Amino acid sequence: MLGIKDYNPKFYTELSQILNDHKTRLQGLKGKRIEEIWVAWEQEEDEWFKDLPVVIKFEDCQIELCAYKTDNYAITFDQINLSDEIDYYGTDLVLRWEKNKLKDLNNFINERIVKVEIIEWISQLTGMGFHLEEGYFAVRNGFDENEICTDRNEEPQYKYTYV
């Protein structure tokens, strides 16, 4: 799916679905150090292609997060081979997986995860947040594409559920 070989995400619309499928693995991320953060990079425009998953690598696994459309959020583990080519629906886009390209997130490399949370906004599933030893970031839905936030939004329409 999305032009990624062997990527078969399940898109979630309910918090309970994520907890049912991934609670144990998400809890297992606590205490792990982030080794790398990979994104699809559009080569000609030299920019992040926000429609494809954000991949967070750890020593023994990787989590793949993708906000593909409103109120749909995909969480997978170990499905994406980052050395594979991306063929985004047969378009001419030249996309490659690149590590540590998002400068806002480079401070979080080698940081240990303290807490993992699932984020809802006005009752819609919208993302996943990571509390680190030094800092915080979330991969959220930015209106049908991935968005990275390094500040936790405390407005009342946001609900955070720790895993």
Side-chain angles (χ1 to χ4, degrees):
M1 177 168 207
L2 299 174
I4 305 168
K5 183 180 174 187
D6 299 324
Y7 180 58
N8 298 300
K10 178 178 180 181
F11 286 94
Y12 295 95
T13 57
E14 301 287 331
L15 170 68
S16 61
Q17 297 168 322
I18 292 174
L19 294 175
N20 187 53
D21 289 355
H22 297 294
K23 183 176 183 178
T24 302
R25 290 207 72 186
L26 291 171
Q27 288 175 332
L29 295 177
K30 290 186 241 177
K32 291 185 185 277
R33 285 195 190 281
I34 296 172
E35 290 190 347
E36 302 166 344
I37 300 173
W38 291 71
V39 295
W41 202 258
E42 206 284 313
Q43 300 298 302
E44 289 181 25
E45 297 295 323
D46 192 30
E47 65 186 12
W48 176 26
F49 188 73
K50 297 179 181 182
D51 289 344
L52 296 181
V54 174
V55 180
I56 304 167
K57 288 188 63 92
F58 304 92
E59 180 180 345
D60 60 348
C61 69
Q62 69 185 31
I63 186 171
E64 301 127 358
L65 305 172
C66 190
Y68 180 62
K69 56 185 177 178
T70 304
D71 198 26
N72 277 253
Y73 197 79
I75 299 172
T76 54
F77 284 88
D78 303 316
Q79 285 192 13
I80 298 174
N81 182 341
L82 297 166
S83 63
D84 283 348
E85 291 187 19
I86 303 168
D87 179 15
Y88 191 69
Y89 297 113
T91 64
D92 291 336
L93 289 172
V94 180
L95 303 170
R96 289 197 181 89
W97 293 110
E98 298 207 14
K99 73 176 177 179
N100 305 337
K101 288 289 276 194
L102 301 178
K103 298 202 184 319
D104 289 347
L105 296 183
N106 285 345
N107 293 338
F108 304 128
I109 304 302
N110 294 317
E111 285 291 322
R112 193 176 303 275
I113 292 180
V114 176
K115 292 186 224 174
V116 177
E117 65 188 10
I118 299 169
I119 306 167
E120 295 172 284
W121 176 72
I122 312 177
S123 301
Q124 291 184 350
L125 187 61
T126 192
M128 174 135 317
F130 300 93
H131 295 260
L132 308 168
E133 291 172 313
E134 297 287 331
Y136 171 87
F137 77 93
V139 180
R140 297 190 330 195
N141 192 318
F143 300 108
D144 300 340
E145 65 182 15
N146 294 304
E147 167 185 77
I148 302 290
C149 302
T150 56
D151 292 317
R152 192 168 187 258
N153 194 320
E154 299 294 343
E155 294 176 19
Q157 61 266 38
Y158 283 92
K159 177 184 173 191
Y160 298 93
T161 302
Y162 293 114
V163 180

